[in-house]
Every structure is written in C-alpha cells, then in structure tokens.
Amino acid sequence: MHLFWEHGYEATSLAMLREAMGLTPPQIYNAFTDKETLFRKALTRYHQTEIGFALEALSAPVPTGEAIRRLLLGAAEAYSRPGKPGGCLFVSGALAASPQAQAIADELKANRKASEAAIAERLAKGRAMGDLPEGLSVEGFAKYLAGVMNGMSIQARDGASVEELRTLAQTALAVFAIEGQKQGASSKE
Amino acid sequence: MHLFWEHGYEATSLAMLREAMGLTPPQIYNAFTDKETLFRKALTRYHQTEIGFALEALSAPVPTGEAIRRLLLGAAEAYSRPGKPGGCLFVSGALAASPQAQAIADELKANRKASEAAIAERLAKGRAMGDLPEGLSVEGFAKYLAGVMNGMSIQARDGASVEELRTLAQTALAVFAIEGQKQGASSKE
DNA sequence: CAGGTTTCGTATCGATCACTATGGATAAAT
DNA sequence: ATTTATCCATAGTGATCGATACGAAACCTG
C-alpha cells in the first residue's frame, strides 16, 4: 500500500512489491491474482486504515460547520503522517495513466467522486437542518471542499507540514464562517 | 505536450509520441535528444501557450483582490479548455513517479513551488501596498491559493466544467473578501 | 522407509520500454 | 555519367515490464 501510495499504480513495479513484501512472484500471484487485484486490495486497506477520519467527521452528531472542520483538519493530519507518503492515495495513485491502466485511473476517480458525494450528502443534511449558510449551495460548496482536500493532498506531497496544512484548512473553512455571518448576501461577484 | 499532459511523463510512450508527431524514432532523437529533454521542451511550450494568464494576473496593475480573482478565474478557464486535457500539466505530469523518473517529478514539484512563490510575492506586494487584509498571512494565504488551484486542477481532470470551476474559484475568493470585512479578527479558531 | 502428491522458488516467458545501428535510397560533386 | 557522400526509415539492441512454466524439495500416506 505504501509503495502504491508513494509511486502510484503504474510506477510501482512487481520487483519493488516483491522485495517489500519478501515474497516470491508466484506467492504474490497466488495471493493476489494479479497486480490490479493487489492494488484494489491495497485500496481497501487504505480505506480502512488511513481515512477513517472522513467518515467519522461526516457522520458525527455535530453541527455542519464542526463536521467540515473535522473533515479538513483530519485531512491535514492524515495527509502528513510521519512515516507515510504525503497526500492521499486517491490522488497520487493514478492521476495520469497510460491507456492500459485506464481502469485503475477510473476507479480512483470514482473514489474521489464518491468522497465529494459524501460531503454533498452531509451538506444537504445541514441544509435540511438549517445550519448550512444560505449563501452556500450544497453542490458548489461540496466541490469546493473536495477541491481543497485534493489541493491539500498535493501540498502535502510537496512537503507541506501538518501545521501548514492545518492553516490551509482553516483558511478554507473561513468561507463557511463568513457566509454564516452574512445575511443573504451574494456569494458571487 | 498534449500527450504528456493527458497521460503524464512516464505513461506516455515514445510509440505514442511517434505516432502523434508523425516522426520516426531517429527523427525524434535528432530533434530532442531523449525523452526527458522532449518533456522539458513540452514543459516550456506549456508555460508559453497555456498558463500566461497566471503571470498576467499577478503582474497586472490592479488591486491584490482583483489580481487573485483573475488568477483563479483564469485557472478555471485554462484547466477546462475544450480540446485540451483537463487540469494543469504541473500536477498531471508526474505527481507520482518511479525512482527512475524522480528528476522529472522533482522538476514539476519545483514548478509548483515556483507558482506558489510567485503568488506569495504578489501578496507581499499587496501587504506592502496595504490592500491585503490584515487577517491573512502572505505565506499562509499563498499556500491556500496554490492549494486551491491544485485542487481545481484535479476537479478539472475529473470532468468539472468551466462553470463549476468558476464557482469553486469564487467560493475560494470569498476568504479574501471576508477577511477584508473583518477588522482585526483572528483568522484561526 | 518408499511412493505419490503437493508446494514453492528459480529461471524464464513474450511484450514493451527507451533508444540506436545498419542498409538502402537520394542528393551532391567531379 | 559515375563516384562519393549524406540522409533516413527499418529493424533490432539490452533492459525491464507483468506474469508463469518447470524442477526440486518437503510432506503426508501406506
């Protein structure tokens, strides 16, 4: 998982995986069928071990503002854990791919879309409960938040510290606080 | 350039480049020395033809708020041009790479850092001129803006339309407008 | 202890990678 | 017109990719 996370799907060779896992090639293929299946297993493990913060943040019984605060600050921490590759596997795994690896790229894209959809769902709940500022559209703000998280992932990959990511997250969150202060003001120019 | 932009450095094979350019392998190597040099030429061309908006936005004789507005809205348009790969080559070219392509990945990372530094420079000018809200730090806000642009690049790659990217950009810009409204309020929680 | 079976690591598979040597065709020069 | 020289596409280089065939060792059964 760390290798895929660090180098991406295609750039991670079986030789690297073999050495990291201490297995011989037939053992790998017996256990994981092929490279693509192995990557999907790593993706599942990534879900379970690295990004629980997102589901927790979005499902916690807290106001919407607190939920997205936990989401972004959780991302700041998760994307810069010591000893782990920076950023998010969904982004680093296969942002660009050869035609042969299109299926993997599409799968990661679907994961990113699902993350955005999960945010949108939480925002819609907030809208229904009345604690989403009027000036923010559910879809638009979800895309903004997902975009900020993706951006944080790249900043993390470029070496941003957890403090820098937290500052970035808090700057991004200011939009929420601000739109709440304004009454019905236009969010567009 | 389009191939590198779409598939990234490593996933773009010489066979693809050969077919796209209509050249034979020796012609390619006569003209560009090797794949790495060819990529650098494409990178230079990308600078010249695709992201002029950024330099224009940052060097225009306009208030800081207008400069970053042009920057983000220019990115929204540049990252979703019809007939072009979505997003930014700096991000898509080699976010993750094999050890052999580390030099290319580092070069693109340097480009991203340079973009952030250029934003920071413009913000510092704004601070000096007094039209950067007090609540925003030059470094922190530059990292936020660069992060948002990187995030927009990924959203564009995932198929976001120019309108969606513009909305995202305007949401991000709200931070600037808001921090300007507040007097000396803390930007952190 | 012998036989049959299963497991497992080495050595290698064809395909493709970035890259280049060579032979043939064309142009230039005498 | 004939020789010389220059270009340039085809064909192939070693290396590495993901994936596997085969021989040896181990193990359970009789």
Side-chain angles (χ1 to χ4, degrees):
Chain A
M1 182 183 78
H2 284 183
L3 285 170
F4 284 132
W5 192 355
E6 172 72 27
H7 300 290
Y9 172 66
E10 289 190 281
T12 302
S13 73
L14 277 180
M16 298 161 71
L17 294 165
R18 182 179 56 76
E19 184 171 3
M21 298 194 288
L23 296 177
T24 62
Q27 284 172 327
I28 293 181
Y29 284 91
N30 267 330
F32 304 104
T33 308
D34 60 9
K35 190 188 181 186
E36 200 168 318
T37 305
L38 172 55
F39 179 78
R40 291 204 163 88
K41 294 260 189 186
L43 202 58
T44 301
R45 184 170 186 81
Y46 181 76
H47 266 105
Q48 295 168 347
T49 63
E50 302 294 333
I51 54 173
F53 74 90
L55 194 62
E56 284 178 25
L58 293 177
S59 64
V62 296
T64 301
E66 173 62 14
I68 65 171
R69 196 187 76 92
R70 292 187 185 183
L71 180 67
L72 262 59
L73 292 181
E77 188 266 337
Y79 292 173
S80 63
R81 290 201 180 105
K84 307 266 184 180
C88 176
L89 175 58
F90 292 174
V91 173
S92 306
L95 189 59
S98 73
Q100 293 83 7
Q102 195 63 49
I104 295 292
D106 288 345
E107 178 150 339
L108 287 174
K109 173 175 161 180
N111 275 286
R112 293 192 295 269
K113 290 263 180 193
S115 300
E116 181 181 318
I119 296 172
E121 198 173 341
R122 178 62 186 82
L123 294 180
K125 205 174 78 173
R127 168 61 41 85
M129 299 195 312
D131 69 347
L132 183 70
E134 297 287 334
L136 297 175
S137 92
V138 167
E139 298 301 327
F141 193 48
K143 204 169 279 292
Y144 167 73
L145 290 174
V148 166
M149 288 178 72
N150 290 337
M152 287 171 65
S153 178
I154 294 179
Q155 294 288 27
R157 186 151 267 271
D158 288 350
S161 68
V162 62
E163 291 85 6
E164 290 171 326
L165 292 177
R166 269 200 276 257
T167 301
L168 199 167
Q170 274 157 342
T171 303
L173 288 168
V175 173
F176 186 88
I178 295 314
E179 293 289 333
Q181 290 174 10
K182 300 197 292 186
Q183 300 304 12
S186 67
S187 67
K188 300 184 180 182
E189 169 163 340
Chain B
M1 182 182 78
H2 284 183
L3 284 170
F4 283 132
W5 194 353
E6 172 71 29
H7 300 289
Y9 172 68
E10 288 190 284
T12 302
S13 73
L14 276 180
M16 298 161 71
L17 295 165
R18 182 179 56 77
E19 184 171 3
M21 297 194 288
L23 296 177
T24 62
Q27 283 173 328
I28 293 181
Y29 283 90
N30 267 330
F32 304 105
T33 307
D34 60 8
K35 190 187 180 185
E36 201 167 317
T37 305
L38 172 56
F39 179 79
R40 292 205 164 87
K41 294 260 188 187
L43 202 58
T44 301
R45 185 170 186 80
Y46 181 77
H47 266 108
Q48 294 168 348
T49 63
E50 303 293 334
I51 53 173
F53 74 90
L55 194 62
E56 284 178 26
L58 293 178
S59 63
V62 295
T64 301
E66 173 63 14
I68 65 171
R69 195 187 75 93
R70 292 186 185 185
L71 180 67
L72 262 60
L73 292 181
E77 189 264 336
Y79 291 172
S80 63
R81 290 201 179 105
K84 306 267 184 180
C88 177
L89 175 58
F90 291 175
V91 174
S92 307
L95 188 60
S98 73
Q100 292 83 9
Q102 195 63 50
I104 294 292
D106 288 345
E107 177 150 339
L108 287 173
K109 173 175 162 181
N111 274 287
R112 293 192 296 269
K113 291 260 180 195
S115 300
E116 182 180 318
I119 296 173
E121 198 173 341
R122 178 62 186 83
L123 294 180
K125 207 174 76 174
R127 169 60 43 84
M129 299 194 313
D131 70 347
L132 183 70
E134 296 288 336
L136 296 174
S137 92
V138 167
E139 298 302 327
F141 193 48
K143 204 168 279 292
Y144 167 73
L145 291 174
V148 166
M149 289 178 72
N150 290 336
M152 288 170 65
S153 179
I154 293 179
Q155 293 288 25
R157 186 152 267 270
D158 287 351
S161 68
V162 62
E163 290 85 7
E164 291 172 326
L165 293 178
R166 268 200 277 257
T167 300
L168 199 168
Q170 275 157 341
T171 303
L173 288 167
V175 172
F176 187 88
I178 294 314
E179 292 290 334
Q181 290 174 9
K182 299 197 291 183
Q183 299 303 10
S186 67
S187 66
K188 298 184 179 180
E189 172 156 339

